[in-house]
Amino acid sequence: MRANPAEYELRAPDTLQEVIALLGKEPETWLPIAGGTDVMVQYAAGKLAARKLVSIGGLRELRKIETTPTEIRIGAGSTYTDIRNHPVIAEELPLLVRAAGCTGGIANQNRGTLGGNIANASPAGDSLPALLAYDAELLLASARGERRVLYRNFHTDYKKSLLAPGELIHTVCISRSFAGYFSYARKVGARDAQAISKVFLAALGRIAAGKITEIRLAVGSVAPIPIRLTQTENALKNQLVDGSLVENCRRALAQEIRPIDDIRSTAKYRTAVLGNLIAEFVNGLAAERASS
Amino acid sequence: MSLRCTPTKQQITLAVNGVRHTILVYPMARLVDVLREQLDLTGTKEGCGEGECGSCSVLLDGVLVNSCLIPVLQANHANIVTIEGLARDEHLHPLQQAFVECGGAQCGICTPGMILAAVQLLEKNPQPTLEEIREGLSGNLCRCTGYVQIFEAVAKAAENRTRREEAKG
Amino acid sequence: MDSWSEQHIVGTSVLRKEGRDKVTGAAHYIDDMRLPGMLYGATVRSKTARGRITGISFDPAMDWKQFVVATAKDIPGHNCISLILDDQPCLADGAINHPEEPIVLLAHPDKYVLAQAVEAVSIEVKPLAAIHSIEESEKKAEIIWGADNVFKSFLIEKGDIDRVWARADFIVEGEYFTGAQEQLYIENNGVVAVFDAATGITVWGSLQCPYYVHKALMKLLGLPEERVRVVQMETGGAFGGKEEYPSMIAGHAAVLAMKSGRPVKIVYDRLEDMVATTKRHPSRTRHRTAVSKDGKILAGEIDFTIDGGAYATLSSVVLSRGTIHAGGPYFWPSVRVRSKAIATNAPPHGAFRGFGAPQSLFAMERHMDRIARVVGISPDEVRRRNFLRPGQTTITEQVIREQIDLPALLEKALADAGYYEKKERFARTNATASIRKGMGIGTILHGAGFTGSGERYLNSLVGIEATADGKVRVLVSSTEFGQGTNTVLCQIAAETLGIPYELVSIAQPDTTVVPNSGPTVASRTAMVIGNLVGSAAVGLLQTLRSAGLPAEKYTAEQFTEACSKHVAQNGVLRSLARYQSPEGIFWDDLKYKGEAYAAYAWAAYVAEVSVDLTTYSARVENFVAAQEIGRVLHPLLAEGQIIGGVAQGIGFALYEKVLWQNGRMVNGQMTNYIVPAASDLPPIHVVFEEIGNLHGAYGAKGIGELPMDAPAPAIINALVNALGVDFNRIPLLPEDIFASLASDSNSQGLATSEVSS
């Protein structure tokens, strides 16, 4: 433990209102901490720059999961366990449920939050590709009020986002329009469970008469931020699924991404495996349709 | 030298193994350190400090957590169960007994966290399959056993519990 | 001793002696210990791989008066961690030879302030060129140790090697590599030291060998034997990583304790433990083998090199074991083994379960499969044709006297694994499968106990004492760290004394209480020390006979009565037994010839693997571990040892990679040093054969390290079978499998050549 607790302040206001007021009064001073599964690791390593933290882990206002006829609204303080256990999410958002289930072990799933995963903004964040695939919207709250942003615009660069000083992620909103989609989520890590991802594909698709009518490919760990592979999607959209399609899409993929060699893996491996995952998704999509 | 703020210690109250404690703490002290050093409950261990090994697992309000990742202020008003809270006087908890009988503990350092993870698992799922046992304990690393005898211990405890329930009913 | 059928303690799965404490949180590990007035200690380490210290500066923003500061100048005795060559300093004094080398020690009452203080000490170093690989060390462009960078070398020669090449039908060559491996015991290294002017130094710690620490502290602190006390605490895993390293951390705490006059605790966090302490020696093995057309080994040359890091430490002994095991369980009519341990600028490598044998056996087992392929026979058949048979000699010309049947052991393992059926099925289905499967074999031998005259040199002493109320206590310096020392030694004592297991306890290893029964290493505890415990028990019985204990049958009450009577008359009831070298064991230390080990255990392991071509990830799907181990003293513990060892072997093969940058490990966290977790491990089926052992307690052979030898080569052999690509380096990660499949040429070793007769 390489940090001195005597040098840190942590406040735990009882209400969201008080938290927002504090963040508004002293923006860029108070770091929100929810489940702590990222912040506390940095802290213990002596690498946490912030000295003042505000706990949002216990705020009920952030932990609600609500549904309307058109939308599922997941409080940013919802834990991965909350997400896995919610019947509507389990039914309608399989990509998110899969992501929640492969984030660390049970103890970390009990504490880690969706909002925390987004705010930590690691390109390897497990739930982020699912949110991109579902085209989620984020409700951000601050002393100035609330605003909604498209999640696909949220991350602007490595560890940089649209989150303004004094602003909190309040709710993650996902439309309830994915019932008819074929969904695919596969995380590739150094071992079967409890591993940071080397590449993570979350995909949705629809197919009609052998042609791909809709396709969304969202990927983590191949860029400074999680990304939608729009060029590769374009190479696949409205195409007949046949032998040459997958080859074409590999070519588009190679043009589109510039992954890196890092402590976990290599650029060549990531590119090749991602191509394989996309192929597996496309073949699965075609097979699903063929059998239904 | 970094800019120092001068926070003071705060009073918090938490129940550990059914006993209430009111203590003075730095809010960012880690729960694992408060348990081990202030409350002298050294059964909870630290193996990695990064939430990877699960040796520090405790139950917080009935939920399995890694205590090395919890600032103690977030445990204010909480009910914590550590390994010391499982046995009733001389009687071991069925999981503790099963671990001893099935070879689930070798060097013992992962054992407290492993047993608490198993307690949580059996509470949620009294008759888990091998796959479910594997998943329930997936956040607890063991370097000695290769896990087989740990899973056998959990399965045995589950089976014994089912037998006891059936005998009662 | 009783006949096997009459025994009811040895051979059964009695409850682990300290099991209750471990499952209740009552077991006391070193970090659970706190003493009044205790300071915490920490170590300032080098960031450079090699150089000369030109200055040490302390950031004035820190109030250094609050700290105890120690450097090499504060060492009262010799600045070295005494082991074999005594070349490793306790604290660097001028010369830096590896990253993380300890330089300055700090102590402070507040461990959080201490952590920050470590960052506030700057070491100015004039860097020197450093070397970081076996090849660089061999080039000798830089000499970093001794005259030639070589810590130790061995030569084994048997038969007439040079004339055989000409008449070989095949000459098969191969080059094989193994990487460093971190022991990753879940409890980090830690000690507490207290110095008292009257009694001397006391150190409690997480350790395997209290007397190693004792010897090192005597020299470091300039204290006589009776003023050094070392006590082992409950130890949370060791695997060799706490064999020699604790002498270093104990030395640091002791120096601080002596300087400050206060108790000092040093406990590493995970990062420090991973980057600064020992790991398994990386290795390179080259084989060149003359083979007949029916696949029989005629002769060979084996070149075995291990990387010892910056100081000699235990490298000569690791080299010794690796060298003696280099020929595997096969008959070599002629062979030349040249081996060496070389220096690089990395933290010294050290003991890790297997201790050189996993490295050389990996190469041998990979090479056997290569020979099979060249000759055109199956991997199982090439082994059958070359297995040692009773009456034949090993590469050190040790005669195999026991009736070991290796073909039968192999057959048992293969049958258990469904080897033939699965191999044939996979060969058919692999062509069109996205998940390819394969089967692989690893067959090995493992010598238990110290090599050659080592046990005689250790001269182990063991004691048993009994109290007036008939309670018996075993006195050994052999330590428990999960493998079952406490349980097995108490079983043996109870069985031999004819009293219930519950009446026997074992003393906490404390050098003021227990005799020196040698280190807890080399798979020697059950076999050698167990034997001595049995002897001491027999001695105790003889003493008790003169106090009225009946010669044949007696009850526990009668035993207690006799103890009570003896203690009343004589005060103390204690029996000691000292190691006696068995008859007919000859070892030539210069020629490296003769009886290397009192007993070999034998194993045949079979791995079933799959490779997912979507992710290039390899998994072990099923595993069979069959071994002949003399006698199973405790079925549950024995099985637990095998399964745990196989899991580490799987990690060695497929998951555990140390990433180096200029001699420093850069992935020193559990999140990026990957060990297999529960869902990565297959069902592991353990089979035991027992043919006894004349030289082991109740016929037992050592088994602690054996399970580490065969998994990695069996797994890699299976992957070669699955993919048709040659893999000769471990760890083998998905990225490596991908790179091999993607590249045009897929061979990684030296080319094979065939010479037709």
Side-chain angles (χ1 to χ4, degrees), chain C residues 353-354 446 483 523 641-642 645 701-708:
Chain C
R353 199 174 194 172
H446 199 96
Q483 82 287 45
S523 308
Q641 282 301 288
I642 302 304
K701 298 177 181 178
I703 65 163
E705 295 171 278
L706 166 89
M708 200 78 222

Side-chain angles (χ1 to χ4, degrees), chain C residues 530-543:
Chain C
N531 228 4
L532 289 177
V533 168
S535 299
V538 168
L540 197 82
L541 285 177
Q542 282 165 354
T543 304

Side-chain angles (χ1 to χ4, degrees), chain C residues 7 28 34 89 92 120 127 214 238 259 379 412 420-421 426 458 469 500 521 587 650 654 658:
Chain C
Q7 287 154 8
H28 268 105
R34 280 200 313 279
H214 185 270
K259 184 154 189 191
K412 192 161 201 172
Y420 302 105
E421 184 275 319
F426 298 158
L458 284 177
D469 49 357
V521 304
W587 174 251
I650 292 174
L654 297 178
V658 177

Side-chain angles (χ1 to χ4, degrees), chain C residues 138-204:
Chain C
E138 284 172 324
K139 277 198 201 108
K140 301 189 209 290
E142 287 295 322
I143 301 296
I144 64 167
W145 194 92
D148 58 1
N149 293 339
V150 179
F151 294 122
K152 185 77 181 182
S153 59
F154 290 110
L155 174 66
I156 290 179
E157 283 182 314
K158 178 190 185 192
D160 189 1
I161 308 99
D162 300 306
R163 271 189 265 188
V164 178
W165 302 111
R167 54 181 177 84
D169 296 305
F170 300 104
I171 297 177
V172 184
E173 294 181 326
E175 188 178 53
Y176 309 95
F177 297 87
T178 66
Q181 189 186 14
E182 160 58 35
Q183 297 87 350
L184 213 81
Y185 28 75
I186 307 281
E187 183 212 16
N188 292 315
N189 271 284
V191 292
V192 171
V194 170
F195 179 71
D196 178 281
T199 50
I201 191 87
T202 304
V203 171
W204 295 266

Side-chain angles (χ1 to χ4, degrees), chain A residues 2 6 16 73 90 114 117 150 183 190 223 239 249:
Chain A
R2 300 181 183 208
L16 177 62
R73 296 188 183 141
L114 189 57
N117 206 219
L150 297 172
S183 63
Q239 300 296 320
C249 99

Side-chain angles (χ1 to χ4, degrees), chain C residues 376-391:
Chain C
I377 58 179
S378 66
D380 49 289
E381 189 57 28
V382 74
R383 287 170 171 82
R384 260 179 227 113
R385 294 185 187 177
N386 288 286
F387 274 145
L388 281 165
R389 284 171 166 67

Side-chain angles (χ1 to χ4, degrees), chain C residues 351-375:
Chain C
F352 188 169
R353 199 174 194 172
F355 205 78
Q359 291 97 317
S360 66
L361 287 168
F362 171 75
M364 184 71 252
E365 285 305 282
R366 281 291 302 122
H367 198 61
M368 285 307 274
D369 266 35
R370 180 170 283 202
I371 290 173
R373 203 167 66 243
V374 167
V375 172

